[in-house]
Amino acid sequence: MIDLHSHTNESDGTFAPAELVDEALRTGVTSLGITDHDTFAGYDLALPCARAAGLELICGIELSTKLHGHSVHLLGYFLNTDGLGDLRSWIRDLQSARRDRNIRLVARLQELGVDITLAEAEARGRGMTGRPHFAQLLVEKGVVPNLREAFDQYLDESAKGYVYRKEPTFHEGVEHIRKAGGISSLAHPIRVKGDIAALTPELREMGLGAIEAYHSDHSPQDTALYLDVARRFDMHVTGGSDFHGAVKPDVSLGTGCNGNLRIPADLLDKLRNGKNGN
Ligand code: AMP
Ligand code: ZN
Ligand code: FE
Ligand code: FE
């Protein structure tokens, strides 16, 4: 069994990299893609464990990008990790922009009368501290009753505490993945607003190489639609559970929600046989 979409606690999952490797062995996943949000730290830490255990580990990443004003997740897969240097330094820049935003966000929240420090937020999110961690803190401190209100009142783009962070565009993400020798894939297309078939020519033009047709959030009809789009536009297909551990307890590694995920194993061979496209 293969699973090309999973998260460790180096981004917003709950399993440490070594624990995720153990989970793959336990569940019968033989090729595992780690696709943490905006970091390779989980993959780097898991690699020695996977090698020792005989698990094939695929280096991946999930970038948060902007497309037509919306947040869209973009996966990158690096079957050969030799050329990752520039991508790693670009990602370090994204992380420092995030930290700079977090410093300004703390100042803004303090201005609004919230008793909060950067250290408290970073204790939860470490290198990938983001608004969801701030939302948790606001709830724990009793500032708001729940996460929804934390976003509505303070953290959402339209809320009083919002602080701007520069996010890469989808096109930039695709370009950086391509330059690093990787294959880009549109993550969980079900969450992309609008008609995917109508949007795909533009994404293809930008250099998008694949579409994540298999995902825990997809019904069989969704998957069939995305497979058809991939075929029509001559793109690769990827698939994964989007495992996050205890924060998404319904999603199991390899098999998704109640076994709704069946990722064909030959999909990985097809990815290996052609770069970014065919
Ligand atoms: P950040 O990358 O730190 O700016 O945080 C972005 C993340 O916050 C997104 O990936 C979502 O998980 C979450 N988020 C953003 N806006 C909302 C919202 N209105 N309601 C709930 N979660 C949100
Ligand atoms: Zn995630
Ligand atoms: Fe995602
Ligand atoms: Fe994900």
Side-chain angles (χ1 to χ4, degrees), residues 50-70:
R51 285 211 172 121
L55 170 76
E56 181 182 37
L57 201 65
I58 313 289
C59 178
I61 199 154
E62 184 171 16
L63 299 172
S64 296
T65 72
K66 285 276 182 199
L67 178 67
H68 300 160
H70 297 292

PDB file of all heavy atoms in Angstrom, residues 50-70:
ATOM      1  N   ALA A  50      13.209   5.421   8.568  1.00  0.00           N
ATOM      2  CA  ALA A  50      12.626   4.674   7.454  1.00  0.00           C
ATOM      3  C   ALA A  50      13.676   3.754   6.833  1.00  0.00           C
ATOM      4  O   ALA A  50      13.387   2.590   6.530  1.00  0.00           O
ATOM      5  CB  ALA A  50      12.087   5.646   6.410  1.00  0.00           C
ATOM      6  N   ARG A  51      14.893   4.270   6.665  1.00  0.00           N
ATOM      7  CA  ARG A  51      15.964   3.450   6.071  1.00  0.00           C
ATOM      8  C   ARG A  51      16.214   2.228   6.943  1.00  0.00           C
ATOM      9  O   ARG A  51      16.324   1.121   6.427  1.00  0.00           O
ATOM     10  CB  ARG A  51      17.245   4.277   5.954  1.00  0.00           C
ATOM     11  CG  ARG A  51      17.150   5.266   4.814  1.00  0.00           C
ATOM     12  CD  ARG A  51      18.525   5.533   4.178  1.00  0.00           C
ATOM     13  NE  ARG A  51      18.361   6.343   2.975  1.00  0.00           N
ATOM     14  CZ  ARG A  51      18.916   7.537   2.790  1.00  0.00           C
ATOM     15  NH1 ARG A  51      19.715   8.059   3.718  1.00  0.00           N
ATOM     16  NH2 ARG A  51      18.700   8.201   1.672  1.00  0.00           N
ATOM     17  N   ALA A  52      16.276   2.441   8.241  1.00  0.00           N
ATOM     18  CA  ALA A  52      16.557   1.326   9.165  1.00  0.00           C
ATOM     19  C   ALA A  52      15.433   0.287   9.112  1.00  0.00           C
ATOM     20  O   ALA A  52      15.680  -0.904   9.279  1.00  0.00           O
ATOM     21  CB  ALA A  52      16.729   1.859  10.580  1.00  0.00           C
ATOM     22  N   ALA A  53      14.204   0.758   8.859  1.00  0.00           N
ATOM     23  CA  ALA A  53      13.048  -0.149   8.879  1.00  0.00           C
ATOM     24  C   ALA A  53      12.726  -0.722   7.504  1.00  0.00           C
ATOM     25  O   ALA A  53      11.822  -1.545   7.375  1.00  0.00           O
ATOM     26  CB  ALA A  53      11.836   0.602   9.421  1.00  0.00           C
ATOM     27  N   GLY A  54      13.424  -0.269   6.471  1.00  0.00           N
ATOM     28  CA  GLY A  54      13.145  -0.770   5.121  1.00  0.00           C
ATOM     29  C   GLY A  54      11.874  -0.188   4.506  1.00  0.00           C
ATOM     30  O   GLY A  54      11.277  -0.786   3.611  1.00  0.00           O
ATOM     31  N   LEU A  55      11.472   0.977   4.998  1.00  0.00           N
ATOM     32  CA  LEU A  55      10.294   1.663   4.435  1.00  0.00           C
ATOM     33  C   LEU A  55      10.760   2.650   3.370  1.00  0.00           C
ATOM     34  O   LEU A  55      11.705   3.409   3.604  1.00  0.00           O
ATOM     35  CB  LEU A  55       9.562   2.416   5.552  1.00  0.00           C
ATOM     36  CG  LEU A  55       8.452   3.382   5.117  1.00  0.00           C
ATOM     37  CD1 LEU A  55       7.198   2.607   4.709  1.00  0.00           C
ATOM     38  CD2 LEU A  55       8.117   4.363   6.247  1.00  0.00           C
ATOM     39  N   GLU A  56      10.076   2.666   2.223  1.00  0.00           N
ATOM     40  CA  GLU A  56      10.417   3.651   1.210  1.00  0.00           C
ATOM     41  C   GLU A  56       9.792   4.996   1.587  1.00  0.00           C
ATOM     42  O   GLU A  56       8.562   5.089   1.736  1.00  0.00           O
ATOM     43  CB  GLU A  56       9.912   3.238  -0.168  1.00  0.00           C
ATOM     44  CG  GLU A  56      10.305   4.275  -1.210  1.00  0.00           C
ATOM     45  CD  GLU A  56       9.809   3.971  -2.609  1.00  0.00           C
ATOM     46  OE1 GLU A  56       8.683   3.448  -2.734  1.00  0.00           O
ATOM     47  OE2 GLU A  56      10.535   4.258  -3.566  1.00  0.00           O
ATOM     48  N   LEU A  57      10.625   6.001   1.767  1.00  0.00           N
ATOM     49  CA  LEU A  57      10.128   7.312   2.144  1.00  0.00           C
ATOM     50  C   LEU A  57      10.250   8.256   0.960  1.00  0.00           C
ATOM     51  O   LEU A  57      11.310   8.351   0.335  1.00  0.00           O
ATOM     52  CB  LEU A  57      10.954   7.851   3.317  1.00  0.00           C
ATOM     53  CG  LEU A  57      10.295   8.949   4.142  1.00  0.00           C
ATOM     54  CD1 LEU A  57       9.058   8.423   4.857  1.00  0.00           C
ATOM     55  CD2 LEU A  57      11.292   9.493   5.183  1.00  0.00           C
ATOM     56  N   ILE A  58       9.147   8.941   0.619  1.00  0.00           N
ATOM     57  CA  ILE A  58       9.155   9.898  -0.485  1.00  0.00           C
ATOM     58  C   ILE A  58       9.214  11.292   0.122  1.00  0.00           C
ATOM     59  O   ILE A  58       8.401  11.637   0.981  1.00  0.00           O
ATOM     60  CB  ILE A  58       7.865   9.787  -1.340  1.00  0.00           C
ATOM     61  CG1 ILE A  58       7.518   8.342  -1.684  1.00  0.00           C
ATOM     62  CG2 ILE A  58       7.945  10.674  -2.580  1.00  0.00           C
ATOM     63  CD1 ILE A  58       8.401   7.664  -2.662  1.00  0.00           C
ATOM     64  N   CYS A  59      10.159  12.080  -0.370  1.00  0.00           N
ATOM     65  CA  CYS A  59      10.291  13.453   0.114  1.00  0.00           C
ATOM     66  C   CYS A  59       9.201  14.325  -0.510  1.00  0.00           C
ATOM     67  O   CYS A  59       9.095  14.409  -1.733  1.00  0.00           O
ATOM     68  CB  CYS A  59      11.670  13.989  -0.275  1.00  0.00           C
ATOM     69  SG  CYS A  59      11.919  15.698   0.222  1.00  0.00           S
ATOM     70  N   GLY A  60       8.414  14.946   0.331  1.00  0.00           N
ATOM     71  CA  GLY A  60       7.356  15.807  -0.187  1.00  0.00           C
ATOM     72  C   GLY A  60       7.189  17.053   0.657  1.00  0.00           C
ATOM     73  O   GLY A  60       7.833  17.227   1.696  1.00  0.00           O
ATOM     74  N   ILE A  61       6.334  17.916   0.174  1.00  0.00           N
ATOM     75  CA  ILE A  61       6.016  19.146   0.914  1.00  0.00           C
ATOM     76  C   ILE A  61       4.607  19.578   0.513  1.00  0.00           C
ATOM     77  O   ILE A  61       4.128  19.222  -0.578  1.00  0.00           O
ATOM     78  CB  ILE A  61       7.052  20.256   0.612  1.00  0.00           C
ATOM     79  CG1 ILE A  61       7.013  21.343   1.689  1.00  0.00           C
ATOM     80  CG2 ILE A  61       6.857  20.851  -0.803  1.00  0.00           C
ATOM     81  CD1 ILE A  61       8.302  22.085   1.849  1.00  0.00           C
ATOM     82  N   GLU A  62       3.918  20.285   1.388  1.00  0.00           N
ATOM     83  CA  GLU A  62       2.627  20.877   1.041  1.00  0.00           C
ATOM     84  C   GLU A  62       2.746  22.381   1.272  1.00  0.00           C
ATOM     85  O   GLU A  62       2.909  22.827   2.412  1.00  0.00           O
ATOM     86  CB  GLU A  62       1.487  20.281   1.886  1.00  0.00           C
ATOM     87  CG  GLU A  62       0.113  20.819   1.486  1.00  0.00           C
ATOM     88  CD  GLU A  62      -1.050  20.079   2.153  1.00  0.00           C
ATOM     89  OE1 GLU A  62      -0.826  19.363   3.146  1.00  0.00           O
ATOM     90  OE2 GLU A  62      -2.190  20.235   1.674  1.00  0.00           O
ATOM     91  N   LEU A  63       2.717  23.125   0.179  1.00  0.00           N
ATOM     92  CA  LEU A  63       2.880  24.580   0.266  1.00  0.00           C
ATOM     93  C   LEU A  63       1.518  25.259   0.334  1.00  0.00           C
ATOM     94  O   LEU A  63       0.592  24.893  -0.401  1.00  0.00           O
ATOM     95  CB  LEU A  63       3.619  25.093  -0.972  1.00  0.00           C
ATOM     96  CG  LEU A  63       5.034  24.570  -1.218  1.00  0.00           C
ATOM     97  CD1 LEU A  63       5.522  25.033  -2.604  1.00  0.00           C
ATOM     98  CD2 LEU A  63       5.988  25.060  -0.132  1.00  0.00           C
ATOM     99  N   SER A  64       1.404  26.254   1.205  1.00  0.00           N
ATOM    100  CA  SER A  64       0.204  27.093   1.226  1.00  0.00           C
ATOM    101  C   SER A  64       0.435  28.221   0.242  1.00  0.00           C
ATOM    102  O   SER A  64       1.374  28.999   0.401  1.00  0.00           O
ATOM    103  CB  SER A  64      -0.011  27.672   2.619  1.00  0.00           C
ATOM    104  OG  SER A  64      -0.261  26.647   3.530  1.00  0.00           O
ATOM    105  N   THR A  65      -0.405  28.296  -0.774  1.00  0.00           N
ATOM    106  CA  THR A  65      -0.228  29.322  -1.801  1.00  0.00           C
ATOM    107  C   THR A  65      -1.529  30.102  -2.011  1.00  0.00           C
ATOM    108  O   THR A  65      -2.584  29.699  -1.515  1.00  0.00           O
ATOM    109  CB  THR A  65       0.158  28.700  -3.162  1.00  0.00           C
ATOM    110  OG1 THR A  65      -0.981  28.035  -3.709  1.00  0.00           O
ATOM    111  CG2 THR A  65       1.305  27.712  -3.028  1.00  0.00           C
ATOM    112  N   LYS A  66      -1.407  31.169  -2.742  1.00  0.00           N
ATOM    113  CA  LYS A  66      -2.590  31.960  -3.104  1.00  0.00           C
ATOM    114  C   LYS A  66      -2.874  31.820  -4.593  1.00  0.00           C
ATOM    115  O   LYS A  66      -1.962  31.949  -5.424  1.00  0.00           O
ATOM    116  CB  LYS A  66      -2.336  33.442  -2.811  1.00  0.00           C
ATOM    117  CG  LYS A  66      -2.402  33.781  -1.337  1.00  0.00           C
ATOM    118  CD  LYS A  66      -3.832  34.025  -0.895  1.00  0.00           C
ATOM    119  CE  LYS A  66      -3.880  34.424   0.575  1.00  0.00           C
ATOM    120  NZ  LYS A  66      -5.195  34.254   1.173  1.00  0.00           N
ATOM    121  N   LEU A  67      -4.130  31.544  -4.901  1.00  0.00           N
ATOM    122  CA  LEU A  67      -4.555  31.460  -6.298  1.00  0.00           C
ATOM    123  C   LEU A  67      -5.858  32.231  -6.422  1.00  0.00           C
ATOM    124  O   LEU A  67      -6.838  31.885  -5.740  1.00  0.00           O
ATOM    125  CB  LEU A  67      -4.751  29.987  -6.688  1.00  0.00           C
ATOM    126  CG  LEU A  67      -5.236  29.722  -8.111  1.00  0.00           C
ATOM    127  CD1 LEU A  67      -4.180  30.106  -9.135  1.00  0.00           C
ATOM    128  CD2 LEU A  67      -5.611  28.246  -8.276  1.00  0.00           C
ATOM    129  N   HIS A  68      -5.861  33.260  -7.252  1.00  0.00           N
ATOM    130  CA  HIS A  68      -7.062  34.095  -7.431  1.00  0.00           C
ATOM    131  C   HIS A  68      -7.631  34.544  -6.087  1.00  0.00           C
ATOM    132  O   HIS A  68      -8.840  34.511  -5.881  1.00  0.00           O
ATOM    133  CB  HIS A  68      -8.144  33.327  -8.210  1.00  0.00           C
ATOM    134  CG  HIS A  68      -7.689  32.903  -9.572  1.00  0.00           C
ATOM    135  ND1 HIS A  68      -8.303  31.899 -10.273  1.00  0.00           N
ATOM    136  CD2 HIS A  68      -6.673  33.309 -10.350  1.00  0.00           C
ATOM    137  CE1 HIS A  68      -7.680  31.714 -11.425  1.00  0.00           C
ATOM    138  NE2 HIS A  68      -6.689  32.567 -11.489  1.00  0.00           N
ATOM    139  N   GLY A  69      -6.734  34.901  -5.156  1.00  0.00           N
ATOM    140  CA  GLY A  69      -7.184  35.430  -3.871  1.00  0.00           C
ATOM    141  C   GLY A  69      -7.581  34.384  -2.848  1.00  0.00           C
ATOM    142  O   GLY A  69      -7.897  34.718  -1.710  1.00  0.00           O
ATOM    143  N   HIS A  70      -7.562  33.109  -3.238  1.00  0.00           N
ATOM    144  CA  HIS A  70      -7.915  32.050  -2.297  1.00  0.00           C
ATOM    145  C   HIS A  70      -6.677  31.270  -1.901  1.00  0.00           C
ATOM    146  O   HIS A  70      -5.704  31.200  -2.653  1.00  0.00           O
ATOM    147  CB  HIS A  70      -8.926  31.083  -2.919  1.00  0.00           C
ATOM    148  CG  HIS A  70     -10.232  31.711  -3.252  1.00  0.00           C
ATOM    149  ND1 HIS A  70     -11.109  32.151  -2.286  1.00  0.00           N
ATOM    150  CD2 HIS A  70     -10.808  32.006  -4.446  1.00  0.00           C
ATOM    151  CE1 HIS A  70     -12.166  32.683  -2.879  1.00  0.00           C
ATOM    152  NE2 HIS A  70     -12.006  32.618  -4.190  1.00  0.00           N
TER     153      HIS A  70
END
